[in-house]
Amino acid sequence: MTTLTRNSAQSLSTVALFAAVMAVLGLVPKIDLPFGVPITLQSLGVMLAGCLLGGKRGFQSLALFLLAVAVGLPLLSGGRGGIGVFMLPSAGYLIGYALAAGVIGLLMGRLPSKTPKQAALSALVASVLGGVVFLHALGIAGLVLIAQMPLEKAFLLDLAFVPGDLAKAVLCAIVVHTVAKALPDWPLGGKAA
């Protein structure tokens, strides 16, 4: 029988906490777009999980969230849940949540974050690269594969999300700046304290 150490208990609790943050962000009403992919606030949770938890725990928290959605919990914006949501045009974005949190966390862990200002700038860069470029690439792939859209059309439709997600990346950087200032020992990007 393995004993739960303080670090592993803390890790488990932060993973579960960020899965819950994603669920809370799902309470904000979605804005439906005609091509089947809604605008939601949950991509902010992806950025925060990666920046604040790091690649491994960020991925785990979003994987836990997606597992809860898959078993039917209505945690996505608009009260959606169940395995069927992974068959919709938005599936590339949903599956991308966990992967993007991992990428954001890996980037954040390699960027400078010694000062709150450096941490904020690093969070902005990591969120734009992982939460906009990478996540949108997976979303476009989902539109092409599931909605059978031509690549050019999927790319153009995806552009509707870019301004909002850039604003979320800025908001994530502000939150990271605040955390770095208030909790200077917080392991941003999963860096060892």
Side-chain angles (χ1 to χ4, degrees), residues 91-187:
Y93 297 97
L94 291 179
I95 294 166
Y97 280 0
L99 298 172
V103 168
I104 293 166
L106 289 174
L107 290 169
M108 185 68 186
R110 284 166 177 67
L111 293 169
S113 60
K114 290 189 187 307
T115 68
K117 194 180 265 187
Q118 280 182 342
L121 184 58
S122 294
L124 180 63
V125 169
S127 294
V128 168
L129 292 176
V132 179
V133 176
F134 181 74
L135 181 59
H136 286 238
L138 295 174
I140 290 168
L143 290 170
V144 169
L145 296 172
I146 295 169
Q148 301 293 307
M149 279 186 197
L151 179 60
E152 301 80 24
K153 183 178 180 182
F155 178 78
L156 289 174
L157 290 174
D158 180 79
L159 290 177
F161 300 103
V162 173
D165 283 352
L166 289 174
K168 292 172 200 169
V170 169
L171 183 56
C172 177
I174 292 168
V175 170
V176 167
H177 181 270
T178 303
V179 169
K181 205 170 185 178
L183 302 168
D185 292 335
W186 185 275

Side-chain angles (χ1 to χ4, degrees), residues 10-55:
Q10 183 178 9
S11 182
L12 283 172
S13 63
T14 55
V15 165
L17 174 67
F18 272 83
V21 167
M22 280 295 288
V24 169
L25 291 173
L27 296 175
V28 177
K30 64 186 170 106
I31 299 170
D32 287 313
L33 296 178
F35 54 95
V37 181
I39 295 174
T40 74
L41 199 54
Q42 288 180 310
S43 53
L44 173 61
V46 173
M47 295 173 190
L48 288 170
C51 287
L52 295 175
L53 298 182

